[in-house]
Amino acid sequence: MKLKWKIVIFFCSSAFVFNCFLLFVYNSFSTKTNKEILTQFDSQLRTSFDLYIRYEVETAYTMLQQLEKLSADGVISTDEAKTIGTHLLRNIRYGLNKTDVTDGYFFADTKEGTNVVLYGKKEVEGKNRNDLQDAKGKYLIRELRAQALNGGGFTDYYFPKMGQDAALPKRGYSLYHQAFDMVIGTGAYTNDIDELLAKIKKERNASSGRTLLIMSTIMVIGLGIMILLGFFVAHTISLQINSTSKMLKDISEGEGDLTKRLKIINNDEISD
């Protein structure tokens, strides 16, 4: 193989390996960064989600506390306080925007599992729900009660949205009000978070893909420039060496002009 082609191949292979290395580094860094961002965003969303439903239940709980205080102060009777509390729990709402992921209502059951309040299903009120299971077989009322009696806590379960039959992943928070014997709680659907994260992941992957395509295009152009540069350098070196080789051959065959000087093509080490 001629020296000219060896130089060209060296330039091309070096540029190709370097470009592949840069693409590998960028892709690895981009993948790691996207994963870290999504993990952090997921944590922040779920933390905000938990705080949101906990604050709502605590608000309802303090409302019952105030009614209990009015009863203790003799302003209203205990039965009246409990009746008012039940009425308010049944009718107060939150998350009224159509884009909100919560059902926006409260439910309440006694310590024994008898339902006191369940929005949209008044026929259930007064019935025991202790053996109610979700789509995965979890006894959700028992779990909600256990968390409530433990000072308040979260429960993950599956439950259909209002007016629908398909059970979706839901997360609830429950708290026990001892004076009125009510395990009060609320919940929201977590599949909305999963869908939002999937959408963000898709958008970030698409953005990374576009950036990778731009980088690849620039590197292909750079590779083309390196190929042209390789041809130029190889041609220059080859021309100088061929000229010198021809003159030395003429001298060795006795036909050369010993007074003739080599033609200087470049001002570099080869020319010197």
Side-chain angles (χ1 to χ4, degrees):
M1 182 182 290
K2 292 185 177 181
L3 177 62
K4 176 180 179 179
W5 290 108
K6 289 182 179 180
I7 295 174
V8 172
I9 292 173
F10 172 77
F11 267 83
C12 293
S13 59
S14 297
F16 179 76
V17 170
F18 181 69
N19 285 346
C20 289
F21 174 74
L22 286 181
L23 288 175
F24 172 77
V25 170
Y26 169 77
N27 187 57
S28 299
F29 177 77
S30 177
T31 301
K32 181 181 178 182
T33 302
N34 284 344
K35 185 177 180 180
E36 290 176 349
I37 290 175
L38 287 172
T39 299
Q40 183 178 15
F41 191 59
D42 178 82
S43 177
Q44 291 175 345
L45 273 179
R46 296 187 189 280
T47 297
S48 298
F49 180 94
D50 283 353
L51 288 174
Y52 178 57
I53 60 176
R54 179 168 68 84
Y55 290 164
E56 294 296 339
V57 172
E58 289 175 346
T59 300
Y61 179 83
T62 56
M63 176 190 71
L64 296 182
Q65 280 187 317
Q66 290 303 308
L67 289 171
E68 179 189 355
K69 185 176 183 301
L70 289 175
S71 174
D73 292 342
V75 178
I76 55 177
S77 68
T78 302
D79 289 341
E80 287 175 328
K82 189 171 182 179
T83 299
I84 294 171
T86 301
H87 176 76
L88 291 174
L89 282 177
R90 185 183 295 113
N91 291 283
I92 58 176
R93 297 286 176 271
Y94 65 93
L96 301 180
N97 194 301
K98 292 183 179 180
T99 60
D100 291 334
V101 300
T102 62
D103 280 338
Y105 66 86
F106 296 94
F107 55 83
D109 297 272
T110 66
K111 192 175 180 180
E112 287 71 31
T114 300
N115 181 253
V116 179
V117 170
L118 184 59
Y119 174 71
K121 293 186 178 181
K122 193 170 178 61
E123 71 277 5
V124 176
E125 294 183 8
K127 296 181 180 179
N128 190 282
R129 302 199 300 163
N130 214 34
D131 293 329
L132 179 64
Q133 294 176 275
D134 70 357
K136 300 292 184 178
K138 176 181 286 188
Y139 289 93
L140 60 96
I141 300 301
R142 300 179 188 181
E143 182 66 24
L144 288 165
R145 180 173 62 241
Q147 293 294 335
L149 293 176
N150 196 37
F154 297 94
T155 301
D156 293 307
Y157 55 98
Y158 285 79
F159 205 77
K161 287 187 176 182
M162 189 67 63
Q164 299 181 12
D165 296 324
L168 298 172
K170 192 172 184 178
R171 186 168 173 83
Y173 184 83
S174 52
L175 198 59
Y176 182 61
H177 188 276
Q178 186 173 3
F180 293 167
D181 186 26
M182 287 186 188
V183 174
I184 59 174
T186 192
Y189 293 92
T190 57
N191 66 301
D192 296 279
I193 294 179
D194 298 331
E195 291 173 0
L196 177 60
L197 288 172
K199 180 181 178 182
I200 294 173
K201 182 179 180 180
K202 183 178 180 180
E203 290 174 350
R204 291 198 64 84
N205 286 341
S207 177
S208 297
R210 287 192 296 270
T211 303
L212 190 62
L213 179 61
I214 293 173
M215 288 184 64
S216 299
T217 303
I218 294 174
M219 288 179 177
V220 168
I221 295 173
L223 181 61
I225 294 173
M226 289 297 293
I227 292 174
L228 293 176
L229 182 61
F231 272 107
F232 174 76
V233 173
H235 175 73
T236 302
I237 294 175
S238 178
L239 190 64
Q240 184 69 57
I241 292 176
N242 288 338
S243 176
T244 304
S245 177
K246 184 177 183 304
M247 182 168 287
L248 290 176
K249 183 179 180 182
D250 291 343
I251 292 174
S252 68
E253 292 176 351
E255 299 178 359
D257 183 359
L258 297 178
T259 63
K260 187 176 181 180
R261 296 178 61 84
L262 291 172
K263 184 179 180 181
I264 304 299
I265 300 177
N266 297 306
N267 185 24
D268 52 25
E269 288 83 353
I270 295 178
S271 302
D272 293 339

